[in-house]
Amino acid sequence: SLQRAVAFFVLFHELGKRVADFWPRVSFGMLGYSIGRTHSIMRIATTASPVSGADIRRRMQDMALLHNLINFRRGLNAMVAKWRKRRELEGTTSLGKVESHTDFRMIEVL
């Protein structure tokens, strides 16, 4: 109702006035502000997020792709480890004797 709106306006104006009057007293005039000037520039953000929906969608897609790449890397490393273990147990590879191991990291993540 209109009465409630006016009551809130009066309440917050009085609160702001008391705060504006408080600072010069406790800081010996060094701190303070004019309630008339600051009232007109006070704004309340009403948007939930300053980022657009398209940006959020793109970030989610990037995160999903990164998650898939990490899972792929883990699976590939597991397969290579199993292959190496099996070949070491046999003692040879298709190319001959096992002499050195190559690091098969495909992607450095983070």
Side-chain angles (χ1 to χ4, degrees), residues 21 26-27 47 68 93 101 108:
D21 293 342
V26 297
S27 67
T47 57
N68 289 340
T93 64
H101 296 288
E108 278 301 321

Side-chain angles (χ1 to χ4, degrees), residues 51-63:
V51 180
S52 73
D55 289 339
I56 292 173
R57 187 177 319 111
R58 184 185 50 79
R59 287 180 189 176
M60 289 179 66
Q61 290 170 347
D62 291 346
M63 287 173 29

Side-chain angles (χ1 to χ4, degrees), residues 4-64:
R4 282 186 181 174
V6 171
F8 278 119
F9 296 153
V10 170
L11 174 79
F12 287 119
H13 182 272
E14 180 63 25
L15 178 69
K17 178 94 171 94
R18 286 188 184 193
V19 170
D21 293 342
F22 170 78
W23 286 109
R25 277 190 309 232
V26 297
S27 67
F28 303 107
M30 297 295 287
L31 299 174
Y33 62 93
S34 169
I35 193 170
R37 291 190 67 211
T38 58
H39 175 66
S40 63
I41 61 170
M42 289 175 61
R43 299 283 185 247
I44 297 173
T46 57
T47 57
S49 174
V51 180
S52 73
D55 289 339
I56 292 173
R57 187 177 319 111
R58 184 185 50 79
R59 287 180 189 176
M60 289 179 66
Q61 290 170 347
D62 291 346
M63 287 173 29

Side-chain angles (χ1 to χ4, degrees), residues 40-91:
S40 63
I41 61 170
M42 289 175 61
R43 299 283 185 247
I44 297 173
T46 57
T47 57
S49 174
V51 180
S52 73
D55 289 339
I56 292 173
R57 187 177 319 111
R58 184 185 50 79
R59 287 180 189 176
M60 289 179 66
Q61 290 170 347
D62 291 346
M63 287 173 29
L65 177 63
L66 182 61
H67 179 73
N68 289 340
L69 287 173
I70 290 170
N71 285 340
F72 176 75
R73 178 183 172 190
R74 285 180 185 155
L76 185 61
N77 286 338
M79 288 189 319
V80 168
K82 287 179 184 179
W83 177 82
R84 284 181 178 170
K85 188 171 184 170
R86 190 175 67 233
R87 293 299 176 198
E88 285 176 3
L89 291 175
E90 293 175 1

Side-chain angles (χ1 to χ4, degrees), residues 87-103:
R87 293 299 176 198
E88 285 176 3
L89 291 175
E90 293 175 1
T92 60
T93 64
S94 59
L95 300 175
K97 193 101 172 130
V98 175
E99 294 177 1
S100 66
H101 296 288
T102 307
D103 193 5

